[in-house]
Amino acid sequence: MKIYIDGKYCEKDEAKISVFDHGVLYGDGIFEGIRAYNGRIFRLDDHLARLEDSANAILLKLPIPLKEIEKAIVETVRVNGLKDAYIRLVVTRGVGDLGLDMRKCKGNSSLFIIADRIELYPEEFYEKGLTLVTSTIRQKGLDQVTPGVKSLNYLANILARAEATAAGAQEAILLNATGHVSECSGDNIFFVKNDKIFTPPTSAGILVGVTRNVVMELAEKKLGVKVIERNFPRYDLYSADEVFLTGTGAEVIAGVKIDGRVIGSGAAGPVTKKLIKHFRDYANSTGTPVYETVKTK
Ligand code: PXG
């Protein structure tokens, strides 16, 4: 496996960064999780735009222009010979001293890109759905570093996921400070009630998922249903006809049991199944090509 670090490709064992990097010392940095399907990178522009927004929000200057980051992502998938891949891109503040002052990171920020095979939920989960629990951990408030920034501070999400695992569930739902549903530890959340689809608005404190946006588009275009963004308590999930999650890793997947309550039929429902199919068809038919060379006359 070849890993991109600041313009060079190294073998996995040699892919290392400094212990003085503020990404390690303080979680000072940002990341993106991106998929490639069948030799094409899915919604790369959306991921790059979110990366740029995250960088701007934390006063981080990207080490190279976005266009060059795009090239590096494509190249990293290419040198690893992957068609279907999970791409993890990280930008850290770079090397500094032991203080919090970001001005002490005198060099550039650091960029590394890993392209690997993807670990997915087994296919049967797309039929039978996931078990979810509500986490005791609250979503970060909007007056903190907004959950919209995909920062390297993922401890709350990791601990929420650990609560799910301890309860025999696959994902954890995070409520925000007002008790409304925000999102899951690594996925956005939707529910279906009486043929309407709902999802929390950005003001609930969510990462604005690339998959979330695609699914909202597909719901409107393919099912003729406009997704309603509004705040809701977890009781709306308990009484929903269907609940589903969206994320780069999971794509679209049902949540069929929440805090011990069975949701709808207890398996992936008709709307979720349609969206799973439309999403897969779309993901396999679009994206930035990794291998096709531009034809010149
Ligand atoms: N909320 C959170 C907190 C996330 O981390 C999403 C929503 C969905 O966003 P996208 O843009 O992926 O639709 C995420 C994304 C992993 C992994 O390794 C996690 C994510 C994405 C890819 C891989 O667990 N989370």
Side-chain angles (χ1 to χ4, degrees):
M1 183 197 285
K2 295 253 188 294
I3 293 158
Y4 173 101
I5 308 184
D6 293 325
K8 297 198 181 73
Y9 290 91
C10 9
E11 286 303 326
K12 191 174 177 178
D13 290 347
E14 273 110 51
K16 293 183 176 137
I17 61 165
S18 167
V19 294
F20 287 97
D21 191 307
H22 279 207
V24 179
L25 288 176
Y26 296 115
D28 184 354
I30 52 176
F31 75 105
E32 278 297 321
I34 309 170
R35 287 272 291 267
Y37 291 89
N38 199 21
R40 284 191 287 202
I41 301 173
F42 186 65
R43 290 281 190 140
L44 183 52
D45 289 349
D46 294 5
H47 285 285
L48 289 169
R50 188 168 68 188
L51 182 79
E52 192 175 39
D53 289 345
S54 292
N56 184 45
I58 71 158
L59 303 164
L60 179 73
K61 188 174 182 308
L62 296 171
I64 54 175
L66 219 51
K67 228 23 223 167
E68 282 179 42
I69 295 181
E70 178 177 5
K71 277 191 209 149
I73 294 169
V74 172
E75 190 61 11
T76 305
V77 177
R78 211 178 59 76
V79 297
N80 284 289
L82 294 165
K83 291 189 94 182
D84 295 293
Y86 175 58
I87 304 155
R88 167 60 61 87
L89 176 155
V90 180
V91 185
T92 69
R93 186 76 63 185
V95 173
D97 63 12
L98 294 178
L100 273 82
D101 188 346
M102 62 171 75
R103 292 173 306 180
K104 298 284 174 58
C105 300
K106 290 208 187 308
N108 282 344
S109 54
S110 241
L111 165 66
F112 62 85
I113 306 167
I114 305 165
D116 202 354
R117 280 172 218 295
I118 178 137
E119 287 257 337
L120 300 169
Y121 284 119
E123 187 54 32
E124 70 204 59
F125 276 95
Y126 290 87
E127 280 285 330
K128 69 175 199 192
L130 303 181
T131 300
L132 315 176
V133 291
T134 306
S135 172
T136 62
I137 294 172
R138 291 283 162 149
Q139 177 66 301
K140 290 184 285 285
L142 299 171
D143 51 350
Q144 301 171 41
V145 177
T146 166
V149 171
K150 206 162 166 63
S151 86
L152 293 183
N153 294 255
Y154 251 53
L155 210 43
N157 306 53
I158 286 165
L159 294 177
R161 180 70 68 86
E163 287 184 334
T165 306
Q170 286 81 39
E171 251 294 21
I173 299 165
L174 283 89
L175 305 180
N176 62 24
T178 55
H180 294 106
V181 172
S182 64
E183 61 178 348
C184 293
S185 70
D187 298 287
N188 291 113
I189 190 161
F190 293 72
F191 76 90
V192 183
K193 183 76 174 179
N194 299 331
D195 301 321
K196 293 197 176 83
I197 308 177
F198 299 88
T199 197
T202 55
S203 58
I206 61 167
L207 181 78
V208 181
V210 169
T211 321
R212 175 184 183 272
N213 288 346
V214 170
V215 165
M216 287 169 81
E217 285 170 27
L218 290 174
E220 192 161 357
K221 269 195 218 141
K222 303 284 182 185
L223 310 185
V225 183
K226 193 168 162 32
V227 175
I228 300 161
E229 294 179 79
R230 72 156 169 83
N231 283 303
F232 56 85
R234 65 179 139 154
Y235 301 101
D236 287 6
L237 298 177
Y238 296 162
S239 56
D241 299 329
E242 301 177 36
V243 169
F244 63 87
L245 311 183
T246 65
T248 295
E251 301 179 333
V252 181
I253 197 161
V256 297
K257 206 171 181 194
I258 305 179
D259 302 331
R261 283 89 167 165
V262 175
I263 310 304
S265 68
V271 175
T272 305
K273 279 188 176 166
K274 277 183 216 158
L275 287 171
I276 291 172
K277 185 176 181 311
H278 287 304
F279 183 85
R280 288 182 172 173
D281 289 349
Y282 176 65
N284 281 290
S285 67
T286 182
T288 304
V290 174
Y291 298 100
E292 290 159 34
T293 47
V294 181
K295 287 191 189 98
T296 46
K297 281 185 190 155

